[in-house]
Amino acid sequence: STIISTKYYWEKVSGVKTGFTTPAGRCLVSLVEEGSFSYLAVVLGAETPYDENGEPVYGSFTESRKLLEYGLDNFAFASVLSHLNPVAQVPVDGGSVGSVVIAPADDINALLPANYDESKINISYELSNSEGLTAPLGANEVVGTVTVTYAGKPVGQTDARTIAAVDRRAILSTPQNDNSNFLRLIPFLIIILAAYLVLIGYPGMTIGKIMYH
């Protein structure tokens, strides 16, 4: 507006929208873009006092700048999770392998204090099925969620996905069946061993005579 003095001009601001009604007072929405991020300030019902020279001071502009400067000085967007970094190796029931690695589906960027403490960032996951994972599983299959918190407060969430497929374990190759098959063979192995010992004349091993009357 040509009514507003250029003293409120701020080169960091890329756009503004003014507004005024008697009930709402002076309102202003302003935008600052820094890097790949945007900061938006919304001021409603700002006062318009007069300075010592009798000139109006538009509080919607002065308060908006204070808000934006506070945001720029005290907060920053940080990458807190990368889809390239696995979060856990989870057991798989009935799979051709015993576990699968899960990773975030997307990167997560969060607005944190400018000098944030990395030790306060916590990454956790939760499976969709509380009983765990069961084969078969496809590669990139969504199996739950990954949540990032800072100082105990959630700052981002994305899907948890498998990084590789897991086939169902073949029945004949299971350890349980291998043991069962071996146990079934034991009687036959004993018979074969006994017959062999008789044939080679092992001491104490004789073939009984059948008597006819």
PDB file of all heavy atoms in Angstrom, residues 128-169:
ATOM      1  N   SER A 128       2.950 -52.787  12.421  1.00  0.00           N
ATOM      2  CA  SER A 128       1.500 -52.773  12.245  1.00  0.00           C
ATOM      3  C   SER A 128       0.863 -53.970  12.935  1.00  0.00           C
ATOM      4  O   SER A 128      -0.227 -53.867  13.504  1.00  0.00           O
ATOM      5  CB  SER A 128       1.152 -52.777  10.754  1.00  0.00           C
ATOM      6  OG  SER A 128       1.707 -51.656  10.099  1.00  0.00           O
ATOM      7  N   ASN A 129       1.541 -55.104  12.875  1.00  0.00           N
ATOM      8  CA  ASN A 129       1.068 -56.316  13.537  1.00  0.00           C
ATOM      9  C   ASN A 129       1.836 -56.475  14.845  1.00  0.00           C
ATOM     10  O   ASN A 129       3.045 -56.693  14.844  1.00  0.00           O
ATOM     11  CB  ASN A 129       1.289 -57.536  12.643  1.00  0.00           C
ATOM     12  CG  ASN A 129       0.680 -58.806  13.225  1.00  0.00           C
ATOM     13  OD1 ASN A 129       0.307 -58.848  14.406  1.00  0.00           O
ATOM     14  ND2 ASN A 129       0.578 -59.837  12.408  1.00  0.00           N
ATOM     15  N   SER A 130       1.144 -56.351  15.965  1.00  0.00           N
ATOM     16  CA  SER A 130       1.809 -56.413  17.268  1.00  0.00           C
ATOM     17  C   SER A 130       2.432 -57.777  17.549  1.00  0.00           C
ATOM     18  O   SER A 130       3.286 -57.906  18.429  1.00  0.00           O
ATOM     19  CB  SER A 130       0.804 -56.072  18.378  1.00  0.00           C
ATOM     20  OG  SER A 130      -0.287 -56.995  18.368  1.00  0.00           O
ATOM     21  N   GLU A 131       2.026 -58.811  16.793  1.00  0.00           N
ATOM     22  CA  GLU A 131       2.577 -60.148  16.998  1.00  0.00           C
ATOM     23  C   GLU A 131       3.877 -60.367  16.232  1.00  0.00           C
ATOM     24  O   GLU A 131       4.495 -61.419  16.350  1.00  0.00           O
ATOM     25  CB  GLU A 131       1.540 -61.199  16.591  1.00  0.00           C
ATOM     26  CG  GLU A 131       0.279 -61.158  17.461  1.00  0.00           C
ATOM     27  CD  GLU A 131      -0.724 -62.231  17.075  1.00  0.00           C
ATOM     28  OE1 GLU A 131      -0.450 -62.972  16.094  1.00  0.00           O
ATOM     29  OE2 GLU A 131      -1.756 -62.330  17.746  1.00  0.00           O
ATOM     30  N   GLY A 132       4.287 -59.396  15.436  1.00  0.00           N
ATOM     31  CA  GLY A 132       5.548 -59.509  14.710  1.00  0.00           C
ATOM     32  C   GLY A 132       5.356 -59.746  13.221  1.00  0.00           C
ATOM     33  O   GLY A 132       4.227 -59.710  12.707  1.00  0.00           O
ATOM     34  N   LEU A 133       6.473 -59.988  12.532  1.00  0.00           N
ATOM     35  CA  LEU A 133       6.455 -60.184  11.078  1.00  0.00           C
ATOM     36  C   LEU A 133       6.399 -61.670  10.735  1.00  0.00           C
ATOM     37  O   LEU A 133       7.040 -62.495  11.386  1.00  0.00           O
ATOM     38  CB  LEU A 133       7.696 -59.559  10.449  1.00  0.00           C
ATOM     39  CG  LEU A 133       7.897 -58.058  10.669  1.00  0.00           C
ATOM     40  CD1 LEU A 133       9.142 -57.578   9.941  1.00  0.00           C
ATOM     41  CD2 LEU A 133       6.670 -57.272  10.207  1.00  0.00           C
ATOM     42  N   THR A 134       5.655 -61.980   9.679  1.00  0.00           N
ATOM     43  CA  THR A 134       5.513 -63.351   9.211  1.00  0.00           C
ATOM     44  C   THR A 134       5.762 -63.391   7.717  1.00  0.00           C
ATOM     45  O   THR A 134       5.242 -62.553   6.975  1.00  0.00           O
ATOM     46  CB  THR A 134       4.108 -63.904   9.519  1.00  0.00           C
ATOM     47  OG1 THR A 134       3.870 -63.819  10.935  1.00  0.00           O
ATOM     48  CG2 THR A 134       3.983 -65.351   9.076  1.00  0.00           C
ATOM     49  N   ALA A 135       6.569 -64.352   7.277  1.00  0.00           N
ATOM     50  CA  ALA A 135       6.852 -64.520   5.848  1.00  0.00           C
ATOM     51  C   ALA A 135       5.602 -65.042   5.140  1.00  0.00           C
ATOM     52  O   ALA A 135       4.756 -65.697   5.755  1.00  0.00           O
ATOM     53  CB  ALA A 135       8.021 -65.465   5.663  1.00  0.00           C
ATOM     54  N   PRO A 136       5.441 -64.747   3.830  1.00  0.00           N
ATOM     55  CA  PRO A 136       6.397 -64.009   2.987  1.00  0.00           C
ATOM     56  C   PRO A 136       6.220 -62.494   3.113  1.00  0.00           C
ATOM     57  O   PRO A 136       5.140 -62.017   3.436  1.00  0.00           O
ATOM     58  CB  PRO A 136       6.022 -64.480   1.578  1.00  0.00           C
ATOM     59  CG  PRO A 136       4.536 -64.750   1.677  1.00  0.00           C
ATOM     60  CD  PRO A 136       4.310 -65.298   3.047  1.00  0.00           C
ATOM     61  N   LEU A 137       7.322 -61.794   2.830  1.00  0.00           N
ATOM     62  CA  LEU A 137       7.320 -60.334   2.836  1.00  0.00           C
ATOM     63  C   LEU A 137       7.930 -59.841   1.530  1.00  0.00           C
ATOM     64  O   LEU A 137       8.909 -60.417   1.040  1.00  0.00           O
ATOM     65  CB  LEU A 137       8.142 -59.788   4.010  1.00  0.00           C
ATOM     66  CG  LEU A 137       7.625 -60.078   5.431  1.00  0.00           C
ATOM     67  CD1 LEU A 137       8.695 -59.707   6.449  1.00  0.00           C
ATOM     68  CD2 LEU A 137       6.347 -59.316   5.705  1.00  0.00           C
ATOM     69  N   GLY A 138       7.368 -58.789   0.980  1.00  0.00           N
ATOM     70  CA  GLY A 138       7.920 -58.218  -0.241  1.00  0.00           C
ATOM     71  C   GLY A 138       8.954 -57.150   0.065  1.00  0.00           C
ATOM     72  O   GLY A 138       8.993 -56.602   1.174  1.00  0.00           O
ATOM     73  N   ALA A 139       9.810 -56.864  -0.901  1.00  0.00           N
ATOM     74  CA  ALA A 139      10.753 -55.756  -0.753  1.00  0.00           C
ATOM     75  C   ALA A 139       9.976 -54.444  -0.758  1.00  0.00           C
ATOM     76  O   ALA A 139       9.001 -54.290  -1.500  1.00  0.00           O
ATOM     77  CB  ALA A 139      11.770 -55.770  -1.896  1.00  0.00           C
ATOM     78  N   ASN A 140      10.374 -53.510   0.102  1.00  0.00           N
ATOM     79  CA  ASN A 140       9.707 -52.211   0.246  1.00  0.00           C
ATOM     80  C   ASN A 140       8.274 -52.341   0.751  1.00  0.00           C
ATOM     81  O   ASN A 140       7.463 -51.433   0.559  1.00  0.00           O
ATOM     82  CB  ASN A 140       9.722 -51.430  -1.073  1.00  0.00           C
ATOM     83  CG  ASN A 140      11.115 -51.064  -1.516  1.00  0.00           C
ATOM     84  OD1 ASN A 140      11.935 -50.633  -0.702  1.00  0.00           O
ATOM     85  ND2 ASN A 140      11.402 -51.240  -2.793  1.00  0.00           N
ATOM     86  N   GLU A 141       7.973 -53.432   1.402  1.00  0.00           N
ATOM     87  CA  GLU A 141       6.625 -53.603   1.964  1.00  0.00           C
ATOM     88  C   GLU A 141       6.503 -52.794   3.255  1.00  0.00           C
ATOM     89  O   GLU A 141       7.382 -52.839   4.122  1.00  0.00           O
ATOM     90  CB  GLU A 141       6.357 -55.078   2.240  1.00  0.00           C
ATOM     91  CG  GLU A 141       4.970 -55.343   2.803  1.00  0.00           C
ATOM     92  CD  GLU A 141       4.655 -56.822   2.910  1.00  0.00           C
ATOM     93  OE1 GLU A 141       5.281 -57.624   2.183  1.00  0.00           O
ATOM     94  OE2 GLU A 141       3.780 -57.190   3.717  1.00  0.00           O
ATOM     95  N   VAL A 142       5.415 -52.066   3.387  1.00  0.00           N
ATOM     96  CA  VAL A 142       5.183 -51.271   4.594  1.00  0.00           C
ATOM     97  C   VAL A 142       4.738 -52.198   5.714  1.00  0.00           C
ATOM     98  O   VAL A 142       3.748 -52.929   5.581  1.00  0.00           O
ATOM     99  CB  VAL A 142       4.122 -50.183   4.346  1.00  0.00           C
ATOM    100  CG1 VAL A 142       3.798 -49.446   5.648  1.00  0.00           C
ATOM    101  CG2 VAL A 142       4.609 -49.195   3.291  1.00  0.00           C
ATOM    102  N   VAL A 143       5.471 -52.171   6.824  1.00  0.00           N
ATOM    103  CA  VAL A 143       5.189 -53.082   7.937  1.00  0.00           C
ATOM    104  C   VAL A 143       4.927 -52.331   9.248  1.00  0.00           C
ATOM    105  O   VAL A 143       4.740 -52.960  10.286  1.00  0.00           O
ATOM    106  CB  VAL A 143       6.346 -54.078   8.134  1.00  0.00           C
ATOM    107  CG1 VAL A 143       6.458 -55.015   6.941  1.00  0.00           C
ATOM    108  CG2 VAL A 143       7.665 -53.355   8.380  1.00  0.00           C
ATOM    109  N   GLY A 144       4.945 -51.007   9.217  1.00  0.00           N
ATOM    110  CA  GLY A 144       4.716 -50.243  10.437  1.00  0.00           C
ATOM    111  C   GLY A 144       5.050 -48.781  10.233  1.00  0.00           C
ATOM    112  O   GLY A 144       4.993 -48.267   9.115  1.00  0.00           O
ATOM    113  N   THR A 145       5.423 -48.120  11.315  1.00  0.00           N
ATOM    114  CA  THR A 145       5.771 -46.701  11.274  1.00  0.00           C
ATOM    115  C   THR A 145       7.065 -46.438  12.022  1.00  0.00           C
ATOM    116  O   THR A 145       7.430 -47.179  12.936  1.00  0.00           O
ATOM    117  CB  THR A 145       4.656 -45.828  11.899  1.00  0.00           C
ATOM    118  OG1 THR A 145       4.400 -46.284  13.244  1.00  0.00           O
ATOM    119  CG2 THR A 145       3.378 -45.907  11.091  1.00  0.00           C
ATOM    120  N   VAL A 146       7.748 -45.373  11.608  1.00  0.00           N
ATOM    121  CA  VAL A 146       8.942 -44.892  12.297  1.00  0.00           C
ATOM    122  C   VAL A 146       8.627 -43.489  12.812  1.00  0.00           C
ATOM    123  O   VAL A 146       8.141 -42.643  12.065  1.00  0.00           O
ATOM    124  CB  VAL A 146      10.162 -44.837  11.356  1.00  0.00           C
ATOM    125  CG1 VAL A 146      11.393 -44.338  12.114  1.00  0.00           C
ATOM    126  CG2 VAL A 146      10.445 -46.211  10.769  1.00  0.00           C
ATOM    127  N   THR A 147       8.914 -43.255  14.080  1.00  0.00           N
ATOM    128  CA  THR A 147       8.616 -41.964  14.704  1.00  0.00           C
ATOM    129  C   THR A 147       9.892 -41.339  15.251  1.00  0.00           C
ATOM    130  O   THR A 147      10.725 -42.032  15.846  1.00  0.00           O
ATOM    131  CB  THR A 147       7.603 -42.126  15.850  1.00  0.00           C
ATOM    132  OG1 THR A 147       6.406 -42.720  15.342  1.00  0.00           O
ATOM    133  CG2 THR A 147       7.263 -40.779  16.474  1.00  0.00           C
ATOM    134  N   VAL A 148      10.039 -40.032  15.032  1.00  0.00           N
ATOM    135  CA  VAL A 148      11.170 -39.276  15.571  1.00  0.00           C
ATOM    136  C   VAL A 148      10.645 -38.306  16.618  1.00  0.00           C
ATOM    137  O   VAL A 148       9.682 -37.577  16.368  1.00  0.00           O
ATOM    138  CB  VAL A 148      11.920 -38.500  14.468  1.00  0.00           C
ATOM    139  CG1 VAL A 148      13.115 -37.752  15.060  1.00  0.00           C
ATOM    140  CG2 VAL A 148      12.386 -39.443  13.371  1.00  0.00           C
ATOM    141  N   THR A 149      11.263 -38.316  17.785  1.00  0.00           N
ATOM    142  CA  THR A 149      10.900 -37.361  18.832  1.00  0.00           C
ATOM    143  C   THR A 149      12.129 -36.543  19.216  1.00  0.00           C
ATOM    144  O   THR A 149      13.264 -36.984  19.071  1.00  0.00           O
ATOM    145  CB  THR A 149      10.372 -38.075  20.090  1.00  0.00           C
ATOM    146  OG1 THR A 149      11.395 -38.941  20.617  1.00  0.00           O
ATOM    147  CG2 THR A 149       9.141 -38.903  19.765  1.00  0.00           C
ATOM    148  N   TYR A 150      11.865 -35.325  19.689  1.00  0.00           N
ATOM    149  CA  TYR A 150      12.939 -34.475  20.228  1.00  0.00           C
ATOM    150  C   TYR A 150      12.512 -34.030  21.616  1.00  0.00           C
ATOM    151  O   TYR A 150      11.442 -33.437  21.786  1.00  0.00           O
ATOM    152  CB  TYR A 150      13.187 -33.251  19.344  1.00  0.00           C
ATOM    153  CG  TYR A 150      14.291 -32.368  19.896  1.00  0.00           C
ATOM    154  CD1 TYR A 150      15.616 -32.739  19.755  1.00  0.00           C
ATOM    155  CD2 TYR A 150      14.006 -31.199  20.588  1.00  0.00           C
ATOM    156  CE1 TYR A 150      16.645 -31.955  20.269  1.00  0.00           C
ATOM    157  CE2 TYR A 150      15.015 -30.413  21.118  1.00  0.00           C
ATOM    158  CZ  TYR A 150      16.340 -30.802  20.954  1.00  0.00           C
ATOM    159  OH  TYR A 150      17.354 -30.030  21.487  1.00  0.00           O
ATOM    160  N   ALA A 151      13.345 -34.338  22.582  1.00  0.00           N
ATOM    161  CA  ALA A 151      13.043 -34.028  23.984  1.00  0.00           C
ATOM    162  C   ALA A 151      11.674 -34.581  24.385  1.00  0.00           C
ATOM    163  O   ALA A 151      10.922 -33.945  25.110  1.00  0.00           O
ATOM    164  CB  ALA A 151      13.121 -32.526  24.232  1.00  0.00           C
ATOM    165  N   GLY A 152      11.363 -35.762  23.849  1.00  0.00           N
ATOM    166  CA  GLY A 152      10.109 -36.417  24.199  1.00  0.00           C
ATOM    167  C   GLY A 152       8.901 -36.008  23.397  1.00  0.00           C
ATOM    168  O   GLY A 152       7.818 -36.576  23.579  1.00  0.00           O
ATOM    169  N   LYS A 153       9.044 -35.036  22.481  1.00  0.00           N
ATOM    170  CA  LYS A 153       7.916 -34.556  21.686  1.00  0.00           C
ATOM    171  C   LYS A 153       8.051 -35.015  20.233  1.00  0.00           C
ATOM    172  O   LYS A 153       9.127 -34.880  19.641  1.00  0.00           O
ATOM    173  CB  LYS A 153       7.820 -33.037  21.744  1.00  0.00           C
ATOM    174  CG  LYS A 153       7.556 -32.498  23.149  1.00  0.00           C
ATOM    175  CD  LYS A 153       7.457 -30.979  23.139  1.00  0.00           C
ATOM    176  CE  LYS A 153       7.185 -30.428  24.536  1.00  0.00           C
ATOM    177  NZ  LYS A 153       7.092 -28.944  24.542  1.00  0.00           N
ATOM    178  N   PRO A 154       6.983 -35.555  19.628  1.00  0.00           N
ATOM    179  CA  PRO A 154       7.052 -36.013  18.240  1.00  0.00           C
ATOM    180  C   PRO A 154       7.367 -34.854  17.284  1.00  0.00           C
ATOM    181  O   PRO A 154       6.766 -33.785  17.388  1.00  0.00           O
ATOM    182  CB  PRO A 154       5.652 -36.565  17.982  1.00  0.00           C
ATOM    183  CG  PRO A 154       5.086 -36.848  19.331  1.00  0.00           C
ATOM    184  CD  PRO A 154       5.671 -35.817  20.248  1.00  0.00           C
ATOM    185  N   VAL A 155       8.296 -35.086  16.366  1.00  0.00           N
ATOM    186  CA  VAL A 155       8.627 -34.069  15.361  1.00  0.00           C
ATOM    187  C   VAL A 155       8.473 -34.601  13.944  1.00  0.00           C
ATOM    188  O   VAL A 155       8.599 -33.842  12.982  1.00  0.00           O
ATOM    189  CB  VAL A 155      10.065 -33.534  15.568  1.00  0.00           C
ATOM    190  CG1 VAL A 155      10.176 -32.781  16.877  1.00  0.00           C
ATOM    191  CG2 VAL A 155      11.095 -34.653  15.497  1.00  0.00           C
ATOM    192  N   GLY A 156       8.203 -35.894  13.790  1.00  0.00           N
ATOM    193  CA  GLY A 156       8.022 -36.442  12.453  1.00  0.00           C
ATOM    194  C   GLY A 156       7.718 -37.922  12.486  1.00  0.00           C
ATOM    195  O   GLY A 156       8.068 -38.628  13.435  1.00  0.00           O
ATOM    196  N   GLN A 157       7.032 -38.392  11.443  1.00  0.00           N
ATOM    197  CA  GLN A 157       6.683 -39.809  11.345  1.00  0.00           C
ATOM    198  C   GLN A 157       6.594 -40.214   9.888  1.00  0.00           C
ATOM    199  O   GLN A 157       6.182 -39.428   9.027  1.00  0.00           O
ATOM    200  CB  GLN A 157       5.365 -40.100  12.055  1.00  0.00           C
ATOM    201  CG  GLN A 157       5.023 -41.578  12.179  1.00  0.00           C
ATOM    202  CD  GLN A 157       3.744 -41.804  12.971  1.00  0.00           C
ATOM    203  OE1 GLN A 157       2.647 -41.623  12.447  1.00  0.00           O
ATOM    204  NE2 GLN A 157       3.881 -42.179  14.244  1.00  0.00           N
ATOM    205  N   THR A 158       6.995 -41.444   9.586  1.00  0.00           N
ATOM    206  CA  THR A 158       6.900 -41.974   8.233  1.00  0.00           C
ATOM    207  C   THR A 158       6.695 -43.481   8.312  1.00  0.00           C
ATOM    208  O   THR A 158       6.781 -44.086   9.392  1.00  0.00           O
ATOM    209  CB  THR A 158       8.165 -41.640   7.415  1.00  0.00           C
ATOM    210  OG1 THR A 158       7.989 -42.069   6.056  1.00  0.00           O
ATOM    211  CG2 THR A 158       9.395 -42.345   7.991  1.00  0.00           C
ATOM    212  N   ASP A 159       6.407 -44.107   7.151  1.00  0.00           N
ATOM    213  CA  ASP A 159       6.218 -45.556   7.121  1.00  0.00           C
ATOM    214  C   ASP A 159       7.543 -46.279   7.349  1.00  0.00           C
ATOM    215  O   ASP A 159       8.610 -45.777   6.993  1.00  0.00           O
ATOM    216  CB  ASP A 159       5.651 -45.995   5.773  1.00  0.00           C
ATOM    217  CG  ASP A 159       4.205 -45.564   5.586  1.00  0.00           C
ATOM    218  OD1 ASP A 159       3.484 -45.419   6.590  1.00  0.00           O
ATOM    219  OD2 ASP A 159       3.803 -45.371   4.418  1.00  0.00           O
ATOM    220  N   ALA A 160       7.452 -47.466   7.927  1.00  0.00           N
ATOM    221  CA  ALA A 160       8.600 -48.368   8.030  1.00  0.00           C
ATOM    222  C   ALA A 160       8.439 -49.430   6.948  1.00  0.00           C
ATOM    223  O   ALA A 160       7.376 -50.035   6.822  1.00  0.00           O
ATOM    224  CB  ALA A 160       8.662 -49.016   9.403  1.00  0.00           C
ATOM    225  N   ARG A 161       9.495 -49.656   6.168  1.00  0.00           N
ATOM    226  CA  ARG A 161       9.405 -50.606   5.059  1.00  0.00           C
ATOM    227  C   ARG A 161      10.557 -51.599   5.122  1.00  0.00           C
ATOM    228  O   ARG A 161      11.625 -51.315   5.693  1.00  0.00           O
ATOM    229  CB  ARG A 161       9.440 -49.865   3.716  1.00  0.00           C
ATOM    230  CG  ARG A 161      10.715 -49.075   3.505  1.00  0.00           C
ATOM    231  CD  ARG A 161      10.790 -48.446   2.123  1.00  0.00           C
ATOM    232  NE  ARG A 161      12.006 -47.685   1.949  1.00  0.00           N
ATOM    233  CZ  ARG A 161      13.186 -48.215   1.645  1.00  0.00           C
ATOM    234  NH1 ARG A 161      13.296 -49.506   1.469  1.00  0.00           N
ATOM    235  NH2 ARG A 161      14.250 -47.440   1.501  1.00  0.00           N
ATOM    236  N   THR A 162      10.357 -52.759   4.519  1.00  0.00           N
ATOM    237  CA  THR A 162      11.415 -53.762   4.437  1.00  0.00           C
ATOM    238  C   THR A 162      12.372 -53.381   3.313  1.00  0.00           C
ATOM    239  O   THR A 162      11.951 -52.831   2.293  1.00  0.00           O
ATOM    240  CB  THR A 162      10.841 -55.151   4.151  1.00  0.00           C
ATOM    241  OG1 THR A 162      10.112 -55.103   2.904  1.00  0.00           O
ATOM    242  CG2 THR A 162       9.893 -55.579   5.261  1.00  0.00           C
ATOM    243  N   ILE A 163      13.654 -53.662   3.496  1.00  0.00           N
ATOM    244  CA  ILE A 163      14.598 -53.334   2.433  1.00  0.00           C
ATOM    245  C   ILE A 163      14.866 -54.520   1.515  1.00  0.00           C
ATOM    246  O   ILE A 163      15.562 -54.386   0.507  1.00  0.00           O
ATOM    247  CB  ILE A 163      15.936 -52.804   2.993  1.00  0.00           C
ATOM    248  CG1 ILE A 163      16.689 -53.892   3.765  1.00  0.00           C
ATOM    249  CG2 ILE A 163      15.706 -51.597   3.882  1.00  0.00           C
ATOM    250  CD1 ILE A 163      18.103 -53.493   4.112  1.00  0.00           C
ATOM    251  N   ALA A 164      14.323 -55.686   1.859  1.00  0.00           N
ATOM    252  CA  ALA A 164      14.502 -56.875   1.023  1.00  0.00           C
ATOM    253  C   ALA A 164      13.308 -57.797   1.217  1.00  0.00           C
ATOM    254  O   ALA A 164      12.597 -57.716   2.224  1.00  0.00           O
ATOM    255  CB  ALA A 164      15.799 -57.600   1.367  1.00  0.00           C
ATOM    256  N   ALA A 165      13.082 -58.656   0.231  1.00  0.00           N
ATOM    257  CA  ALA A 165      12.001 -59.634   0.322  1.00  0.00           C
ATOM    258  C   ALA A 165      12.431 -60.817   1.175  1.00  0.00           C
ATOM    259  O   ALA A 165      13.617 -61.156   1.251  1.00  0.00           O
ATOM    260  CB  ALA A 165      11.605 -60.105  -1.074  1.00  0.00           C
ATOM    261  N   VAL A 166      11.460 -61.447   1.822  1.00  0.00           N
ATOM    262  CA  VAL A 166      11.708 -62.664   2.602  1.00  0.00           C
ATOM    263  C   VAL A 166      10.699 -63.721   2.158  1.00  0.00           C
ATOM    264  O   VAL A 166       9.487 -63.533   2.318  1.00  0.00           O
ATOM    265  CB  VAL A 166      11.576 -62.415   4.118  1.00  0.00           C
ATOM    266  CG1 VAL A 166      11.806 -63.720   4.883  1.00  0.00           C
ATOM    267  CG2 VAL A 166      12.556 -61.358   4.578  1.00  0.00           C
ATOM    268  N   ASP A 167      11.197 -64.822   1.590  1.00  0.00           N
ATOM    269  CA  ASP A 167      10.322 -65.902   1.151  1.00  0.00           C
ATOM    270  C   ASP A 167       9.909 -66.765   2.333  1.00  0.00           C
ATOM    271  O   ASP A 167      10.574 -66.796   3.377  1.00  0.00           O
ATOM    272  CB  ASP A 167      11.036 -66.774   0.116  1.00  0.00           C
ATOM    273  CG  ASP A 167      11.330 -66.011  -1.175  1.00  0.00           C
ATOM    274  OD1 ASP A 167      10.528 -65.118  -1.514  1.00  0.00           O
ATOM    275  OD2 ASP A 167      12.358 -66.298  -1.812  1.00  0.00           O
ATOM    276  N   ARG A 168       8.816 -67.494   2.137  1.00  0.00           N
ATOM    277  CA  ARG A 168       8.383 -68.442   3.165  1.00  0.00           C
ATOM    278  C   ARG A 168       9.344 -69.626   3.177  1.00  0.00           C
ATOM    279  O   ARG A 168       9.793 -70.093   2.136  1.00  0.00           O
ATOM    280  CB  ARG A 168       6.958 -68.911   2.889  1.00  0.00           C
ATOM    281  CG  ARG A 168       6.408 -69.835   3.973  1.00  0.00           C
ATOM    282  CD  ARG A 168       4.995 -70.286   3.658  1.00  0.00           C
ATOM    283  NE  ARG A 168       4.032 -69.211   3.834  1.00  0.00           N
ATOM    284  CZ  ARG A 168       3.344 -68.653   2.869  1.00  0.00           C
ATOM    285  NH1 ARG A 168       3.541 -69.047   1.613  1.00  0.00           N
ATOM    286  NH2 ARG A 168       2.477 -67.689   3.114  1.00  0.00           N
ATOM    287  N   ARG A 169       9.660 -70.124   4.355  1.00  0.00           N
ATOM    288  CA  ARG A 169      10.589 -71.234   4.482  1.00  0.00           C
ATOM    289  C   ARG A 169       9.945 -72.512   3.950  1.00  0.00           C
ATOM    290  O   ARG A 169       8.782 -72.806   4.247  1.00  0.00           O
ATOM    291  CB  ARG A 169      10.955 -71.420   5.963  1.00  0.00           C
ATOM    292  CG  ARG A 169      11.986 -72.520   6.229  1.00  0.00           C
ATOM    293  CD  ARG A 169      12.401 -72.483   7.686  1.00  0.00           C
ATOM    294  NE  ARG A 169      11.242 -72.535   8.565  1.00  0.00           N
ATOM    295  CZ  ARG A 169      11.232 -71.999   9.778  1.00  0.00           C
ATOM    296  NH1 ARG A 169      12.277 -71.350  10.238  1.00  0.00           N
ATOM    297  NH2 ARG A 169      10.148 -72.100  10.539  1.00  0.00           N
TER     298      ARG A 169
END
